[in-house]
Amino acid sequence: MPRAAPPPIAVVIDRHDDVLHTHTALAAHHPSSGRVTLHPGPGTTSETGLAHDLLAALGKPPLLPGRFPAGRQPAWEAAAAWMTALPVTRLTVLRAHRLTARRAMRLLQLRALTGIHLTLVCHRPHLPATLHQALRTADYFVTADFEAALRHYYGTPIAEPPPADEPARPAIRWLTLPALDRLVSYDSPRPCADPCTPTPIVFRHRTPPAPLTPHTAQRVAHRLHGASAHPRLAAALATALFTGASLQQLATARPRDYDDAAATLALHNRARYTDGCAAYPVPPWGHVFLRAAACFARLISGEDTELLAAPGDRAHLLRLAETARLRPPQPPAARRRGPAGRVEWDWRERQEAKRYEAMLAVRARPSRG
C-alpha cells in the first residue's frame, strides 16, 4: 500500500447544483468496475458516519461487530482495506462543499493510503474555505467543465455504463457446506512463537475439504461480501471453507502467513492436533478476502496480531455465517437438540466424542478369561 502514487485530486465545481452532475456521478457508481460514488448521508458531520457511508457504498453493512481499542470502531481502516482488495480505483464524493475539515482530511488520508483517483464535487459557484484549507497541501486542480467531470467520474476513455447489477435478493436458502464441520472443533492449537516456514499441507488425519464448484464459490463470495464489513471475520469464514480448519487454528495465522504471490496461507499447529503447521493453497475466489484482512490487520495493529478471527470472536463468526446462510451439515430431525431452524454447529464434534467414549468403555471392560 498504496498501489501507486495517487493522481491529483479533481475538484468539480457544479455552479448551479445541476441535477445532471449528481445523476451522472451516481450512474458511474459500479464497485466491481473499480468506481465508487459516495453520496454522504444528510444530518451527520462525524468522521465515522462518513466511513459508514463509504462502507455502504461498497455494498457492506456499515457496522463492525466486536470490541476495539479505546472503543473506536475502525471503520476507516475497514473501508481502506476493502478498497485496496477489491480493488477500487476511483472515488467520487458528492456534496463535497459540506465536508468538515476533519472529514476532508480523512478522505485525503484514504487517497494517500490506497492510491485512488479522488474527485470532489462541490455544488456551489466557489470552493468553500474549509475545503480550500484542507487541500492547501495536496496536489489538486479545479474544473467547471461537465465533459471533464465526466472523464473523472468514469475514467479515460469514458467507459460504457455497465448493465445495472441485479438487486440484492435475500439469501433465503441455506448453503450446507461440509467444510464448516470443524469450525467449532474442540482442538486448541496455538500460534508459533518462533519463525516457522510450514510445508504444503498433507492431510493425514482428516479428509481434505472438497473444493467449491465455481458456481458455489461465486454464491459464497457474494454472500460474504454483503454480510459483513469486517475484513477479518469475512476472511476467516472464507478460509474455513478451503482449509476445513477450526476457529482455534484459524486464529494462529498472522499477516506474514499470507503470501499473495504464492497464493498460500500458513496455519500453525505445533502440537499436531490435526496435520501440524502447514501452508494451504488459496483458491482464486478467496484472495480478495485475505488481501482485505491482511491490509486491515496491518492498519490497526501491525504484524503481530491475528490475521483472521480470534478465539473470542466465535459468536461473531457464527453470526456472520448464519447471516450469510452458510452452515455445516445438520443432524437428522430425530437427533436435534435445539428447536427446528437453529443451526447446530457442534453436531459432528458431539458424534465423535460419543464414539470416543464408547471406544474407551469397551477397552475398560474386564476380560472374562
Side-chain angles (χ1 to χ4, degrees):
M1 298 178 63
R3 293 189 295 270
I9 299 167
V11 179
V12 174
I13 298 295
D14 173 18
R15 298 181 183 278
H16 306 293
D17 197 5
D18 192 336
V19 70
L20 181 62
H21 268 284
T22 300
H23 284 181
T24 304
L26 290 174
H29 175 79
H30 199 256
S32 59
S33 298
R35 303 189 303 271
V36 171
T37 299
L38 174 60
H39 199 177
T44 176
T45 59
S46 73
E47 300 166 68
T48 302
L50 187 62
H52 287 170
D53 288 340
L54 182 53
L55 287 171
L58 291 168
K60 310 287 181 187
L63 297 178
L64 276 69
R67 295 182 179 179
F68 301 100
R72 186 185 70 83
Q73 190 179 102
W76 280 103
E77 290 84 350
W82 286 117
M83 291 180 74
T84 301
L86 283 171
V88 173
T89 57
R90 290 184 174 273
L91 175 62
T92 298
V93 182
L94 294 169
R95 303 290 157 190
H97 60 278
R98 293 182 177 175
L99 291 172
T100 63
R102 294 180 67 87
R103 281 186 158 199
M105 289 308 300
R106 278 290 194 179
L107 290 171
L108 297 187
Q109 291 165 4
L110 182 70
R111 166 183 172 265
L113 193 63
T114 61
I116 56 169
H117 186 293
L118 179 61
T119 300
L120 304 175
V121 186
C122 296
H123 307 268
R124 292 291 185 273
H126 305 287
L127 194 64
T130 301
L131 190 56
H132 184 273
Q133 179 71 12
L135 291 171
R136 63 189 177 88
T137 59
D139 185 12
Y140 76 99
F141 62 91
V142 180
T143 181
D145 181 72
F146 178 76
E147 294 300 324
L150 193 64
R151 289 192 291 272
H152 294 298
Y153 301 154
Y154 279 95
T156 306
I158 297 174
E160 287 293 324
D165 291 330
E166 291 185 11
R169 299 176 182 175
I172 298 174
R173 300 187 64 178
W174 286 97
L175 283 178
T176 300
L177 303 166
L180 296 177
D181 259 336
R182 294 189 64 255
L183 187 60
V184 296
S185 174
Y186 302 142
D187 61 17
S188 56
R190 297 181 181 276
C192 292
D194 300 321
C196 176
T197 307
T199 56
I201 179 66
V202 177
F203 289 92
R204 298 184 180 90
H205 304 294
R206 57 191 171 102
T207 304
L212 301 182
T213 65
H215 178 64
T216 300
Q218 184 180 26
R219 293 171 69 190
V220 165
H222 178 74
R223 292 187 184 193
L224 288 179
H225 276 301
S228 179
H230 201 308
R232 280 180 176 169
L233 292 181
L237 196 52
T239 301
L241 291 173
F242 64 80
T243 62
S246 67
L247 171 58
Q248 287 89 339
Q249 191 172 15
L250 295 174
T252 66
R254 298 294 181 263
R256 59 181 171 271
D257 289 318
Y258 172 57
D259 188 331
D260 188 50
T264 59
L265 172 69
L267 299 179
H268 301 273
N269 192 350
R270 298 189 70 177
R272 303 189 68 82
Y273 285 97
T274 51
D275 293 300
C277 300
Y280 295 76
V282 180
W285 68 268
H287 281 290
V288 65
F289 298 103
L290 284 166
R291 287 170 187 152
C295 177
F296 182 73
R298 291 180 173 120
L299 285 174
I300 65 172
S301 302
E303 291 286 349
D304 293 326
T305 188
E306 291 90 354
L307 171 66
L308 308 172
D313 291 324
R314 171 174 163 159
H316 298 304
L317 186 63
L318 299 187
R319 190 174 299 117
L320 167 59
E322 293 180 19
T323 299
R325 308 287 278 183
L326 308 176
R327 67 181 181 184
Q330 295 297 286
R335 297 187 183 182
R336 293 193 63 88
R337 278 189 170 184
R342 191 176 74 182
V343 178
E344 294 195 19
W345 287 95
D346 62 345
W347 178 60
R348 174 190 169 279
E349 291 291 314
R350 295 201 315 266
Q351 293 302 107
E352 288 194 355
K354 287 179 180 178
R355 287 195 292 269
Y356 183 68
E357 290 170 1
M359 180 184 67
L360 292 180
V362 170
R363 290 181 177 178
R365 290 175 186 169
S367 62
R368 296 181 180 181

